[in-house]
Amino acid sequence: MRIHVIVLLYVALLAGEIAWQGVAPLIPTYIEAYNLTPSQGSMMLAIASLGILLASLPAGYMTSRVSPRHLTYASLALMCIGLAGQAVAINYAFIIANRLLFGFGFGVLWVALIAWLADAAGDQSARVLSGSTVIAGLGGIFGPAYAGTVAHSFSLEAPFIGLSVLLVVLLILLVLDDSGTGVEREIAPPTRELLRATHSDPDLSVMMLITIGAAVVWMTADFLVPLRLSVHGYNEAQIGVIFSLASLCFVCTSAFVSRKAEQWRQIRIVAGSLAGLGIGTLMPTIFPGTAAAFIFLGGATIASGVSAALSFPFGLLAVERGTVTVGVMSALANIIWSICGLLGPLLGGLSTQAIGDQAAFGLLASVALLMSWLIYRQRNKPRPTPIELGDVRS
């Protein structure tokens, strides 16, 4: 196991998550500064997810032609350009264009970096890939607090300047790495076989259902909760700190689960955690105040920390059987997150304008509970026989 490579890749992932999640507490300020509607403000969250969506599956298949190492280099460069462009943006349209570019680079990063991590981790890949969930949670801790505090103290542009500089440093360090990891190309299955595998392999289905449940709730709540808090007088720095504390619960939970990923990789555990997520989301559905939002953030982060930490370990079972490669597995998860990140804030913004945020939270609760039930149904389905990826081409 190449620990120094894993650390560098974790930090790169952390920087990307900070850049992605950190924008949430700034949305009310952007709405005021650029005289935007709630729907236009939600687009700042959604457009990066569109970039991730456009990049994910092509990047998964690119790992059969380009090494994960070189794809990681390219992704970091794109993210740097997007963040620097957002920092010098002259209008709303320019901000949207650069958020899209950043999202495209971030989508490639998740696919390439996960494949490189699996190579660098060796026989510890389940534990290391599960740890990527912890890193994403750390992005939720530091991102909102960092962006909110720096923007409040200096300017809206300052957080993105700092992140672009950090990514340049990481890119240089990774280029100089001589471990020999991340250079092997993967053999991706044909698209038809991949689509068949997403419903024929129960463990891959579980991974995707976990991701849907967590992504739908959090990518929409990232927009709904700051708006509710802002209406009740909280500024961007305070909202950032609140989100960071909630993410701390997520990280502590997922870090604990990641250490026992193979033992905890059970249907009943992930189904129960998503049921808990749905129940927690009912609080802001029933009660309109900030107290309900705080209870949601506390309880739901713990429930989603359990399920999210076990997502990739379930996907790795499909990888071990030859159903998919690590890169394609990561791409599928990326696609789900990006679709939810694209539609969630937009639908959240539209529903808030039309009927209020309580109804939107109710829809999120129903999705989480539905995913819990669908996962539980996978418990007795037969697992396919292990195959070699090359066999699907014959």
Side-chain angles (χ1 to χ4, degrees):
M1 185 165 65
R2 306 285 186 168
I3 296 178
H4 72 282
V5 176
I6 293 171
V7 170
L8 286 175
L9 293 175
Y10 274 171
V11 175
L13 181 59
L14 176 61
E17 288 289 340
I18 289 174
W20 191 31
Q21 300 188 54
V23 75
L26 306 184
I27 298 301
T29 305
Y30 271 108
I31 290 175
E32 181 180 357
Y34 289 87
N35 194 27
L36 308 176
T37 66
S39 296
Q40 288 175 314
S42 68
M43 180 61 72
M44 293 188 60
L45 284 174
I47 198 65
S49 298
L50 176 60
I52 296 172
L53 175 62
L54 294 175
S56 293
L57 194 55
Y61 278 95
M62 280 294 291
T63 57
S64 65
R65 298 178 178 272
V66 182
S67 70
R69 174 184 286 265
H70 288 97
L71 278 178
T72 300
Y73 296 163
S75 67
L76 290 175
L78 289 174
M79 291 164 63
C80 286
I81 295 171
L83 290 173
Q86 183 175 350
V88 299
I90 56 176
N91 55 40
Y92 173 71
F94 200 67
I95 292 174
I96 293 298
N98 281 280
R99 288 298 293 176
L100 177 64
L101 181 60
F102 163 78
F104 192 89
F106 194 41
V108 176
L109 179 72
W110 256 107
V111 173
L113 181 143
I114 291 297
W116 192 352
L117 272 177
D119 185 21
D123 59 4
Q124 299 293 314
S125 58
R127 180 178 170 186
V128 171
L129 293 192
S130 182
S132 66
T133 302
V134 180
I135 300 303
L138 287 173
I141 289 179
F142 295 115
Y146 163 78
T149 302
V150 172
H152 187 70
S153 301
F154 299 98
S155 68
L156 279 174
E157 298 80 14
F160 307 104
I161 294 173
L163 288 169
S164 62
V165 172
L166 174 60
L167 288 176
V168 169
V169 173
L170 289 169
L171 176 57
I172 293 172
L173 292 175
L174 287 169
V175 169
L176 295 176
D177 168 66
D178 60 355
S179 66
T181 58
V183 297
E184 293 292 331
R185 301 174 187 176
E186 299 183 313
I187 302 175
T191 302
R192 184 177 62 182
E193 296 295 332
L194 174 63
L195 295 175
R196 182 180 62 83
T198 58
H199 63 82
S200 64
D201 191 308
D203 293 315
L204 187 61
S205 297
V206 168
M207 185 204 79
M208 296 177 69
L209 291 170
I210 293 171
T211 308
I212 291 170
V216 166
V217 171
W218 285 113
M219 297 311 297
T220 311
D222 272 354
F223 174 74
L224 294 177
V225 174
L227 277 188
R228 179 176 287 197
L229 296 179
S230 178
V231 167
H232 287 82
Y234 290 81
N235 62 38
E236 62 269 35
Q238 293 170 323
I239 294 172
V241 171
I242 290 167
F243 264 70
S244 294
L245 291 174
S247 295
L248 178 61
C249 296
F250 176 91
V251 168
C252 292
T253 303
S254 56
F256 175 78
V257 175
S258 295
R259 297 183 61 184
K260 302 178 180 293
E262 294 186 355
Q263 299 97 308
W264 283 47
R265 188 167 48 187
Q266 301 178 38
I267 294 290
R268 61 182 179 83
I269 291 178
V270 291
S273 65
L274 279 178
L277 179 60
I279 293 170
T281 311
L282 288 174
M283 291 301 297
T285 303
I286 300 171
F287 303 103
T290 57
F294 292 149
I295 294 173
F296 161 76
L297 287 174
T301 47
I302 295 174
S304 61
V306 174
S307 57
L310 295 174
S311 174
F312 277 143
F314 269 101
L316 282 175
L317 292 175
V319 172
E320 292 167 3
R321 284 192 288 267
T323 303
V324 290
T325 64
V326 173
V328 172
M329 175 195 74
S330 179
L332 290 172
N334 260 13
I335 289 170
I336 294 170
W337 275 103
S338 58
I339 290 175
C340 295
L342 175 63
L343 297 180
L346 293 177
L347 295 177
L350 290 173
S351 63
T352 298
Q353 285 183 223
I355 55 177
D357 68 347
Q358 286 178 264
F361 276 113
L363 291 174
L364 300 185
S366 65
V367 170
L369 293 172
L370 175 61
M371 293 305 106
S372 173
W373 177 71
L374 292 175
I375 287 173
Y376 189 70
R377 290 186 61 192
Q378 305 294 317
R379 67 192 186 283
N380 295 323
K381 288 189 176 181
R383 269 53 184 171
T385 303
I387 62 172
E388 296 292 334
L389 279 174
D391 294 344
V392 299
R393 298 185 180 276
S394 60

